[in-house]
């Protein structure tokens, strides 16, 4: 056995085995393993056999069902499942959008991975560049499911598109890793900007997108200017900085608006795309509001405190469905008569943002309470203002502590986007219903096929996120930052 | 204590250069109905080292925490370097800027590197440029003899190293006074010396310090005065030698017999 083991182990470990200073090998032969884990006692053996038979039966029926099932409904509706009623002649938009998104994701994650790698090295912690094998192990559900989805396509184009996407993520990540440190430090801004650009590509142009880009430009400028030591400090400095940043942001927004409005906003969005989009936007916008609400709830100012508590407790006490319905049916009644009715998706995003903000507020509150009092005291004792203490000492620690809970909230929100169907948005799950009521498929009892398809889609993303969150948890727990 | 005249409980005789740095007059502190500090009168001179000792719960921490307003005193006045502590947040922050504090449990910021721990307040409060703040931080780390740890995070260091970083952190604000609250009592015995040595260096360099500590060896070497507290009162004041040779009050004797 020692010889067999040595084949799998590096030279230094083989040497260690020879001197017998390593922990005793716990490797068992398959037969031993089965004996130890599956048939260790009478009850265990019985359990193994029963569960084993049940699994076999399930597999048998499952295979039979898959072989006999009619997947034509998926083939016919694949595009709708992915992006809803998006005009066919505009299909270049989602594809380009996806590529921009992948480019942004690759660049940003590559750069962030490198940054954390460098940080580890600077502290003499062992750290290696993550290999593609490990990436595969992390993201296999999403990869596998995208191949599965594409396999229903009737033309070759989606295959080529997907292969291109895989290639792009590899290249973009590699470029992100190799970018100079100065660019890598700004990776987050690059990522967010590309995210918004990708949305603009799919929507054509839109005013909202212009504002969003302007906001990113503003925040980016502020962060750049905060590095400039020659600007005055304190209040005057903040004024000058905000001034410059505002001008830049306004310019970005104006330029964006100068581009002809050949788009159609997000009226036509749908499918898996809208589910992912609303979840990501809901959580990203909900985060800052949620943090503010959590701080508001802790505030000494009674007005702020009461308002925060009422908002949080109201939203948490009411089902998301009722909030969505309320926004859709009632809110427009309260708006001024000449006010253009916002798109359903706009209302939905506002509701989902508020909804996740309330939940995030409670998560963050837990995190705030977990920061020891000594931290605040040490910061106060050095003369920092109350706001600085919160911003630089308490919040960073509180947020770090609640990342796993935050991911959990994100997963829940992702699945909750299926409720958008209630206000007439053609999200992922609803496509299952609409396709079953099509002329060609109605009454054929194909709902099980489409539901299974949708379930696999939800599962792949939710499971990957949950895996990532556990990985992050382990990293933060073992680490020290 | 007027009937036991022989015992010196007057903590207002300043040492050091004679210039009064901290002036506490008729100060009372309550936690709810419980009076934690009773009519405290105490002065600390510039460059003076005052060691505060006393049994658990006697109010030592509360006393020094009142001096930088981590606790609000209820009666009397506290003046630090000419600035009186009031509810005015500006005055409080002015005093905190000039007053360093070192805690029993270090209270380093775990999410920041050692360097960032030290440069945070100078950059945030005094608006010192990053490069300059980092240069100062490196000098301070030299001074507390751990320059090679600058990039580490607090969780990666021993207790003694962490406490020395905490001292460097408080020094980075170039304070006029440093308050120590049992800086060595959370440390393993072998690390106590390195922290005490750092504190001794500071005392030799002329830093004004109030140290709550039961390290009587340290007190003997560097303290100008020792203040013994019990039940929220200052009970006995004297030189370290006085406490070693002839402590007068009964509670002092009992306490010293327990710790020496
Ligand atoms: N935040 C608080 N609320 C209520 N009571 C308090 C509070 N802080 C301290 N006390 C009480 O005030 C008294 C003095 O406490 P303090 O921490 O100053 O004692 P100490 O002399 O530092 O003791 P130790 O040696 O244990 O640190 C104690 O009886 C304590 O229970
Ligand atoms: Mg104490």
């Amino acid at each position: 056995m020692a010889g067999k083991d040595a084949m799998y182990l590096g030279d230094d470990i083989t040497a260690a085995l020879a001197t017998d200073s390593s922990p005793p090998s716990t490797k068992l032969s398959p037969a031993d393993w089965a004996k130890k884990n599956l048939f260790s006692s009478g009850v265990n053996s019985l359990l193994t056999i029963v569960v084993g038979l049940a699994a076999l039966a399930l597999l048998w029926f499952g295979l039979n069902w898959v072989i006999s099932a009619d997947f034509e409904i998926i083939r016919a509706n694949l595009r709708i499942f992915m992006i809803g009623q998006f005009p066919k002649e505009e299909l270049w938009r989602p594809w380009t959008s996806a590529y921009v998104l992948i480019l942004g994701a690759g660049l940003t994650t590559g750069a962030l991975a490198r940054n954390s790698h460098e940080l580890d090295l600077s502290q003499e912690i062992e750290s290696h560049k993550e290999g593609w094998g490990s990436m595969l192990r992390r993201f296999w559900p999403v990869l596998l499911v995208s191949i599965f989805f594409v396999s229903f396509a009737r033309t070759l184009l989606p295959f080529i598109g997907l292969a291109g996407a895989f290639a792009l993520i590899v290249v973009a990540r590699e470029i992100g890793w190799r970018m100079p440190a100065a660019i890598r430090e700004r990776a987050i801004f690059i990522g967010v900007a590309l995210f918004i650009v990708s949305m603009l590509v799919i929507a054509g142009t839109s005013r909202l997108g212009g504002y969003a880009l302007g906001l990113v430009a503003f925040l980016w400028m502020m962060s750049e200017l905060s590095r400039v030591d020659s600007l005055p400090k304190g209040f005057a400095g903040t004024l000058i900085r905000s001034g410059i940043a505002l001008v830049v942001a306004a310019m970005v927004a104006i330029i964006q608006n100068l581009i002809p409005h050949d788009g159609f906003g997000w009226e036509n969005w749908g499918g898996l795309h809208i589910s992912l989009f609303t979840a990501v936007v809901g959580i990203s916008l909900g985060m800052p509001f949620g943090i503010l609400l959590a701080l508001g709830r802790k505030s000494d100012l009674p007005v702020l405190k009461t308002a925060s508590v009422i908002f949080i407790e109201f939203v948490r006490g009411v089902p998301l469905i009722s909030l969505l319905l309320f926004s859709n049916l009632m809110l427009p009644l309260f708006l001024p008569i000449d006010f253009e009715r916002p798109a359903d998706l706009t209302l939905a995003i506002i509701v989902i943002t508020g909804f996740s903000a309330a939940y995030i507020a409670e998560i963050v509150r837990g995190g705030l309470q977990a920061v020891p009092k000594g931290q605040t005291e040490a910061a106060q004792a050095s003369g920092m203002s109350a706001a600085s203490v919160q911003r630089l000492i308490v919040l960073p620690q509180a947020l770090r502590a609640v990342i796993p809970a935050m991911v959990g909230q994100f997963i829940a929100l992702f699945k909750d986007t299926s409720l958008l169907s209630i206000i007439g948005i053609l999200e992922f799950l609803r496509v299952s219903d609409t396709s079953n009521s099509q002329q060609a498929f109605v009454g054929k009892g194909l709902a099980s096929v489409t539901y299974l398809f949708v379930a696999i889609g939800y599962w792949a993303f939710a499971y990957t996120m949950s895996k990532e969150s556990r990985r992050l948890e382990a990293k933060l727990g073992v680490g020290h930052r | 204590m007027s009937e036991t005249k022989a015992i010196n409980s007057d903590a207002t005789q300043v040492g050091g250069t004679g210039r009064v740095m901290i002036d506490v007059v008729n100060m009372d502190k309550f936690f709810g109905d419980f009076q934690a500090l009773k009519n405290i009168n105490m002065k600390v001179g510039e460059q003076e080292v005052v060691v505060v000792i006393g049994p658990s719960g006697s109010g030592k921490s509360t006393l020094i925490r009142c001096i930088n307003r981590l606790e609000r005193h209820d009666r009397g006045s506290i003046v630090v370097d000419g600035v009186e502590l009031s509810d005015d947040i500006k005055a409080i922050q002015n005093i905190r800027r000039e007053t360093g504090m070192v805690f029993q449990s270090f209270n380093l910021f775990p999410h920041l590197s050692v360097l960032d721990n030290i440069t945070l307040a100078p950059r945030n409060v005094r608006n010192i440029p990053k490069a300059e703040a980092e240069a100062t931080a490196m000098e301070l780390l030299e001074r507390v003899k751990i320059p090679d740890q600058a990039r580490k995070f607090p969780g990666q260091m021993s207790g003694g190293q962490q406490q020395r970083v905490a001292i460097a952190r408080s020094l980075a604000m170039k304070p006029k006074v440093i308050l120590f609250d049992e800086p060595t009592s959370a440390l393993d015995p072998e690390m106590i010396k390195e922290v005490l040595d750092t504190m001794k260096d500071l005392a030799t360099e002329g830093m004004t310090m109030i140290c709550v500590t039961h390290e009587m060896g340290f007190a003997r070497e560097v303290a100008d005065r020792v203040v013994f507290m019990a039940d929220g009162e200052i009970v006995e004041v004297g030189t370290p030698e006085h406490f070693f040779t002839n402590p007068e009050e009964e509670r002092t004797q009992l306490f010293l017999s327990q710790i020496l």
Side-chain angles (χ1 to χ4, degrees):
Chain A
M1 237 189 91
K4 194 172 129 230
D5 276 353
M7 278 173 52
Y8 299 105
L9 303 171
D11 283 343
D12 39 298
I13 301 187
T14 321
L17 273 182
T19 57
D20 209 18
S21 63
S22 65
S25 165
T26 50
K27 212 161 182 176
L28 296 172
S29 76
D32 286 341
W33 183 89
K35 199 164 182 180
K36 182 164 171 257
N37 291 294
L38 301 179
F39 303 101
S40 58
S41 66
V43 178
N44 193 359
S45 305
L46 189 70
L47 212 63
T48 303
I49 292 168
V50 170
V51 173
L53 286 179
L56 278 179
L58 210 65
L59 195 69
W60 172 250
F61 287 118
L63 273 178
N64 260 339
W65 182 86
V66 166
I67 290 167
S68 59
D70 179 4
F71 289 104
E72 187 52 29
I73 186 168
I74 307 276
R75 281 187 209 102
N77 289 291
L78 184 64
R79 180 168 53 85
I80 305 182
F81 272 112
M82 294 300 116
I83 50 167
Q85 298 285 10
F86 208 79
K88 209 168 178 181
E89 58 285 1
E90 298 278 353
L91 271 185
W92 64 271
R93 287 182 184 276
W95 276 110
T96 316
S97 161
Y99 273 70
V100 174
L101 196 62
I102 287 171
L103 177 70
L107 286 179
T108 309
T109 56
L112 292 181
R114 175 73 180 276
N115 290 350
S116 125
H117 172 73
E118 298 289 336
L119 188 64
D120 281 350
L121 288 187
S122 77
Q123 298 165 52
E124 291 155 16
I125 298 174
E126 187 160 312
S127 167
H128 299 288
K129 182 181 178 183
E130 193 179 3
W132 292 104
S134 151
M135 295 290 287
L136 265 183
R137 244 170 291 139
R138 277 169 65 187
F139 295 105
W140 67 265
V142 169
L143 293 179
L144 203 65
V145 162
S146 39
I147 295 172
F148 172 69
F149 284 172
V150 164
S151 71
F152 289 102
R154 284 168 159 158
T155 63
L156 207 56
L157 198 69
F159 285 98
I160 301 171
L162 188 65
F166 286 165
L168 181 60
I169 188 107
V170 172
V171 173
R173 206 180 143 84
E174 202 59 34
I175 294 176
W177 178 274
R178 283 160 200 238
M179 285 192 302
I183 303 184
R184 276 190 276 118
E185 278 168 25
R186 296 156 171 85
I188 295 276
F189 291 110
I190 299 176
V192 175
L194 283 178
F195 176 76
I196 295 171
V197 167
S198 87
M199 293 307 147
L200 283 177
V201 168
I202 201 168
T205 63
S206 81
R207 239 175 312 151
L208 218 55
Y211 297 144
L213 266 189
L215 184 65
V216 175
F218 177 77
L219 294 176
W220 191 340
M221 252 349 255
M222 286 302 274
S223 125
E224 291 294 328
L225 291 171
S226 72
R227 296 167 198 239
V228 183
D229 276 333
S230 56
L231 280 171
K233 302 285 175 183
F235 186 64
T238 311
L239 267 186
I240 296 177
R241 285 194 177 85
S242 327
I244 301 177
L246 259 180
V247 171
V248 173
M251 269 157 53
V252 169
I254 289 171
I255 292 173
Q256 201 282 144
N257 268 325
L258 283 182
I259 302 171
H261 281 246
D262 62 342
F264 25 76
W266 46 29
E267 300 284 343
N268 294 309
W269 288 20
L272 178 61
H273 175 244
I274 216 174
S275 300
L276 282 169
F277 174 76
T278 34
V280 169
V281 171
I283 208 88
S284 329
L285 295 182
M287 197 102 78
F289 288 117
I291 292 171
L292 289 178
L293 280 173
L295 292 177
R297 192 169 191 162
K298 255 187 48 173
S299 158
D300 297 330
L301 304 173
V303 180
L304 211 60
K305 190 179 165 116
T306 316
S308 307
V309 171
I310 290 178
F311 181 85
I312 294 172
E313 295 307 335
F314 171 72
V315 171
R316 276 162 47 92
V318 169
L320 177 57
I321 284 198
S322 62
L323 291 174
L324 286 169
L325 284 175
F326 176 80
S327 77
N328 206 256
L329 303 175
M330 309 278 288
L331 208 58
L333 301 182
F334 293 108
L335 294 174
I337 209 96
D338 52 347
F339 198 86
E340 193 186 335
R341 189 185 194 283
D344 286 345
L345 185 56
T346 312
L347 286 176
I349 283 182
I350 293 173
V351 168
I352 284 192
T353 300
F355 179 78
S356 46
Y359 279 84
I360 289 174
E362 285 302 279
I363 294 176
V364 171
R365 189 165 72 114
L368 291 175
Q369 277 165 352
V371 177
K373 199 157 155 263
Q375 291 291 310
T376 322
E377 289 181 349
Q380 281 175 341
S382 62
M384 287 164 71
S385 69
S388 293
V389 174
Q390 288 297 329
R391 188 169 57 89
L392 299 170
I393 302 302
V394 179
L395 264 183
Q397 295 185 52
L399 292 183
R400 231 165 277 241
V402 300
I403 287 175
M406 216 74 113
V407 178
Q409 178 61 30
F410 181 46
I411 295 175
L413 190 65
F414 172 54
K415 291 180 292 183
D416 282 351
T417 57
S418 54
L419 296 174
L420 292 180
S421 61
I422 224 89
I423 52 167
I425 291 176
L426 188 61
E427 46 69 50
F428 197 35
L429 182 62
R430 184 153 185 246
V431 180
S432 171
D433 295 338
T434 55
S435 50
N436 273 295
S437 50
Q438 283 161 357
Q439 195 90 76
F441 304 109
V442 73
K444 284 195 175 173
L446 291 174
S448 50
V449 175
T450 51
Y451 280 146
L452 184 70
F453 180 82
V454 169
I456 290 175
Y458 277 117
W459 170 81
F461 286 96
Y463 179 55
T464 305
M465 284 185 265
S466 131
K467 263 161 53 112
E468 281 301 288
S469 127
R470 246 173 294 139
R471 185 170 164 274
L472 206 61
E473 208 172 338
K475 204 173 156 191
L476 291 172
V478 173
H480 15 74
R481 284 171 244 138
Chain B
M1 304 283 124
S2 45
E3 68 277 12
T4 51
K5 264 205 172 66
I7 298 167
N8 176 16
S9 65
D10 178 9
T12 59
Q13 303 297 313
V14 297
T17 62
R19 184 172 159 261
V20 177
M21 200 66 176
I22 295 174
D23 192 356
V24 180
V25 181
N26 295 337
M27 193 257 280
D28 289 333
K29 166 74 190 163
F30 291 82
F31 289 111
D33 289 338
F34 172 72
Q35 186 165 10
L37 292 175
K38 297 169 193 161
N39 196 30
I40 301 288
N41 283 286
M42 178 169 149
K43 285 185 171 57
V44 178
E46 193 178 27
Q47 302 199 352
E48 192 180 17
V49 177
V50 173
V51 163
V52 180
I53 59 175
S56 180
S58 55
K60 310 176 296 289
S61 299
T62 308
L63 171 61
I64 64 170
R65 287 162 61 85
C66 282
I67 292 172
N68 69 354
R69 228 344 133 100
L70 287 182
E71 302 288 357
R72 184 181 182 281
H73 62 279
D74 295 303
R75 265 186 233 129
S77 75
I78 301 176
V79 178
V80 180
D81 197 25
V83 182
E84 174 162 6
L85 268 175
S86 61
D87 284 334
D88 175 19
I89 190 75
K90 280 258 155 57
I92 295 176
Q93 278 181 2
N94 274 335
I95 289 176
R96 284 177 176 168
R97 248 172 249 192
E98 311 298 338
T99 315
M101 187 161 209
V102 176
F103 300 82
Q104 177 174 359
S105 48
F106 328 138
N107 294 350
L108 291 179
F109 308 128
H111 63 301
L112 298 178
S113 71
V114 164
L115 204 57
D116 290 341
N117 261 280
I118 302 177
T119 57
L120 181 73
R123 290 179 64 194
N124 180 264
V125 178
R126 294 210 195 275
N127 288 325
I128 312 257
K130 184 172 186 221
E132 190 186 326
E134 288 189 347
T136 314
M138 286 313 296
E139 279 169 29
L140 289 171
L141 284 173
E142 296 273 359
R143 218 160 121 191
V144 300
K145 305 196 174 61
I146 36 174
D148 50 329
Q149 311 278 332
R151 301 269 160 210
K152 285 204 179 165
F153 282 77
Q156 299 168 303
M157 310 172 80
S158 76
Q161 290 173 328
Q162 290 192 48
Q163 194 59 297
R164 282 185 283 161
V165 171
I167 294 175
R169 177 176 69 177
S170 68
L171 287 173
M173 287 293 285
K174 306 207 161 64
K176 296 185 175 143
V177 189
I178 301 189
L179 310 169
F180 290 88
D181 192 359
E182 306 202 35
T184 56
S185 49
L187 296 177
D188 292 338
E190 69 270 23
M191 293 171 193
I192 291 178
K193 184 174 176 300
E194 62 191 47
V195 171
L196 289 180
D197 284 346
T198 309
M199 291 167 63
K200 282 177 204 164
D201 290 345
L202 276 182
T204 325
E205 287 158 23
M207 178 60 75
T208 311
M209 308 179 5
I210 303 183
C211 310
V212 176
T213 180
H214 295 153
E215 295 292 336
M216 292 309 285
F218 170 80
R220 181 174 227 162
E221 234 177 289
V222 302
D224 297 301
R225 276 186 294 160
V226 174
V227 172
F228 173 72
M229 291 182 68
D231 305 322
E233 291 174 305
I234 293 181
V235 173
E236 189 162 353
V237 179
T239 61
E241 276 322 301
H242 165 80
F243 280 88
F244 274 106
T245 49
N246 54 345
E248 290 162 43
E249 156 84 12
E250 207 176 313
R251 282 178 289 179
T252 319
Q253 291 163 354
L254 180 66
F255 175 72
L256 286 172
S257 72
Q258 282 162 352
I259 64 158
L260 284 177

